[in-house]
Amino acid sequence: MQQETATSRASSVTSAILMRNIHCLNNISAYGTDLLTDDYQLVDDLTQAEGVLVRSAALHDTAFPESLQAIARAGAGVNNIPLDRCAEEGIVVFNTPGANANAVKEIVVCGLMLGSRDIAGGIAWCRHNAADENIAKAAEKAKKAFAGREVKGKKLGVIGLGAIGAEVANIAIDLGMDVYGYDPYVSVGAAWRISSAVHHVTNLDDIFRTCDYMTIHVPAMEGTIGMIDERACSLMKDGAVFLNFSRDTLVDNAAMAAALDSGKVHAYITDFATPEVMKMERAIVLPHLGASTAEAEDNCAMMAVRELMDYLENGNIANSVNYPACDMGPVPDGLRRVAVLHANVPNAIARITNVFGDAGVNIENMMNKARGENAYTMLDLDAGTPGHPDDAIERLSAIEGVRRVRVVK
């Protein structure tokens, strides 16, 4: 199917329909899809879909149909989705931050233990000596080679205090660790979730210099990719342990390999198996198990479905990664809600409201939010005022920068 241009999509008008089609690009937990009401149906054909539920399927080369209004990722990372193209085509992309936080928190605790006690080495020794009839006696002599240290009383640096980082910081406090948290963009909600015992650090270098253990929980973006580089490793305490259960690209592999070889870093615990990491002698590598629990998959699916339904039914946006959060609640009785996805440019709101004013349509309530280059405007119209709203909507679609106009209800 040939890919549409943003211009052709901007001229389209999406109206409310009786049945909404949802397409699943991966196996999505039934705990999520069972939340879909009788107004929805699951379809096998993407070209018929208004909403998409996805986990890991790569969408960068996928041409999206004009009918597609939203993509909900059942998980936090959205590297598999072309966010900018979706924004230009008027497709809202959601993720599910925090839905898998407990699962990742638990595996980070496991990573702490793997980095402090040579558990992996001890297990390997047992397997290697499985045929020895005197293995129990031999183990008593061999175990000193796998002796480790306790995490209680040690300093843990948490880089990124979002949903996962906050959970990790709190449980580390419960483990008796001295916890230091760094996040220049921590939200008010996240701040309330963090234990008062966590030390707030304003200079990331202080984490590197003082902490025995460090764990990173930030998204992969222009300012964070490769942030654990040669300089960062050189600042770390001798024998530090670094954990990465966030994104593989946050760590410069060459720098980490050199730090491990020199002994500067005692161990690198990562959830991302790459050819470069597998060559590192003291790297303990897991096959991306962070959120791989039945509970996390269920939670992510339920959150994704709820976000998708609220957007399709009411136009509300929560946890979008390419458009701003915007919530006007359910559509009030007797009103008609129109939603406009558009570029964040001067006078956009004036142009939108003037169209309805010229058509004689009364605006009862409205909300406008912007995020970077993208903006979103919702309007509740008095359905009883003179002038046919659809006439105004056609004029809206012709405004430069308007990407999609929806009559929500």
Side-chain angles (χ1 to χ4, degrees), residues 32-33 47 68 73-74 103 106 109 133-134 137 194 197 205 211 251 265 276 307-308 329 334 336 352 359:
T33 55
T47 63
L68 185 61
R73 158 81 163 97
E106 290 184 359
V109 172
E133 294 183 356
N134 297 312
K137 185 176 180 180
I194 300 169
D205 289 354
C211 292
V251 175
V265 174
E276 296 82 7
E307 292 167 346
L308 200 60
R336 191 175 192 184
I352 291 170

Side-chain angles (χ1 to χ4, degrees), residues 320-337:
S320 171
V321 291
N322 64 346
Y323 275 97
C326 196
D327 190 341
M328 288 176 58
V331 181
D333 293 338
L335 299 183
R336 191 175 192 184
R337 180 167 294 173

Side-chain angles (χ1 to χ4, degrees), residues 53-393:
L53 292 166
V54 63
R55 290 173 58 197
S56 59
L59 299 180
H60 285 278
D61 296 326
T62 301
F64 301 121
E66 183 180 340
S67 61
L68 185 61
Q69 299 177 30
I71 298 171
R73 158 81 163 97
V78 289
N79 294 345
N80 56 322
I81 303 172
L83 302 182
D84 291 341
R85 177 160 65 91
C86 285
E88 292 170 0
E89 297 183 17
I91 300 170
V92 179
V93 179
F94 298 92
N95 69 343
T96 57
N100 59 10
N102 186 72
V104 179
K105 173 198 73 178
E106 290 184 359
I107 207 163
V108 170
V109 172
C110 174
L112 281 171
M113 300 303 113
L114 290 171
S116 60
R117 311 280 291 271
D118 191 6
I119 298 169
I123 292 172
W125 182 91
C126 288
R127 288 296 181 189
H128 181 74
N129 292 276
D132 185 354
E133 294 183 356
N134 297 312
I135 188 172
K137 185 176 180 180
E140 291 301 317
K141 295 179 180 179
K143 68 180 183 181
K144 61 183 178 181
F146 311 112
R149 57 181 179 175
E150 299 179 12
V151 299
K152 184 177 180 180
K154 305 301 189 302
K155 293 181 178 179
L156 171 68
V158 182
I159 305 169
L161 295 169
I164 295 172
E167 292 249 11
V168 169
N170 290 345
I171 198 168
I173 291 291
D174 293 338
L175 290 171
M177 301 189 78
D178 191 14
V179 181
Y180 295 77
Y182 171 83
D183 192 332
Y185 309 109
V186 64
S187 67
V188 174
W192 277 107
R193 292 193 298 268
I194 300 169
S195 168
S196 60
V198 175
H199 307 289
H200 180 224
V201 176
T202 58
N203 187 338
L204 181 57
D205 289 354
D206 291 339
I207 294 282
F208 299 138
R209 292 190 180 104
T210 63
C211 292
D212 306 292
Y213 300 82
M214 287 156 282
T215 179
I216 190 166
H217 301 283
V218 301
M221 50 196 297
E222 185 176 352
T224 61
I225 291 174
M227 66 182 291
I228 308 303
D229 55 12
E230 183 178 359
R231 176 183 178 278
C233 291
S234 70
L235 293 175
M236 294 179 189
K237 290 180 63 176
D238 291 344
V241 173
F242 196 90
L243 294 87
N244 180 11
F245 287 84
S246 187
R247 289 290 178 268
D248 61 327
T249 53
L250 302 176
V251 175
D252 183 309
N253 286 327
M256 182 57 69
L260 289 168
D261 287 344
S262 69
K264 184 70 173 178
V265 174
H266 172 71
Y268 176 42
I269 319 300
T270 178
D271 204 21
F272 307 100
T274 66
E276 296 82 7
V277 170
M278 296 312 300
K279 295 175 184 176
M280 299 180 191
E281 285 296 327
R282 288 197 305 282
I284 298 176
V285 188
L286 305 180
H288 204 185
L289 297 180
S292 293
T293 67
E295 293 87 351
E297 292 181 6
D298 295 343
N299 291 338
C300 288
M302 290 187 289
M303 189 173 180
V305 168
R306 290 189 178 109
E307 292 167 346
L308 200 60
M309 291 174 65
D310 195 22
Y311 178 68
L312 294 177
E313 295 174 16
N314 299 303
N316 297 322
I317 295 179
N319 298 319
S320 171
V321 291
N322 64 346
Y323 275 97
C326 196
D327 190 341
M328 288 176 58
V331 181
D333 293 338
L335 299 183
R336 191 175 192 184
R337 180 167 294 173
V338 173
V340 186
L341 296 158
H342 56 94
N344 182 22
V345 294
N347 299 320
I349 301 174
R351 293 190 184 102
I352 291 170
T353 55
N354 286 342
V355 165
F356 287 107
D358 293 344
V361 178
N362 187 43
I363 300 173
E364 293 282 346
N365 192 17
M366 69 171 290
M367 180 177 289
N368 170 268
K369 298 289 184 181
R371 177 176 183 168
E373 298 178 353
N374 307 317
Y376 187 53
T377 302
M378 285 198 292
L379 310 99
D380 282 348
L381 311 175
D382 184 351
T385 55
H388 199 284
D390 287 344
D391 296 336
I393 291 165

Side-chain angles (χ1 to χ4, degrees), residues 389-405:
D390 287 344
D391 296 336
I393 291 165
E394 293 293 344
R395 291 178 59 196
L396 275 180
S397 301
I399 295 176
E400 184 178 358
V402 169
R403 296 159 178 171
R404 184 189 291 268
V405 180

Side-chain angles (χ1 to χ4, degrees), residues 43-58:
V43 296
D44 295 330
D45 188 354
L46 172 63
T47 63
Q48 300 176 0
E50 290 172 80
V52 160
L53 292 166
V54 63
R55 290 173 58 197
S56 59

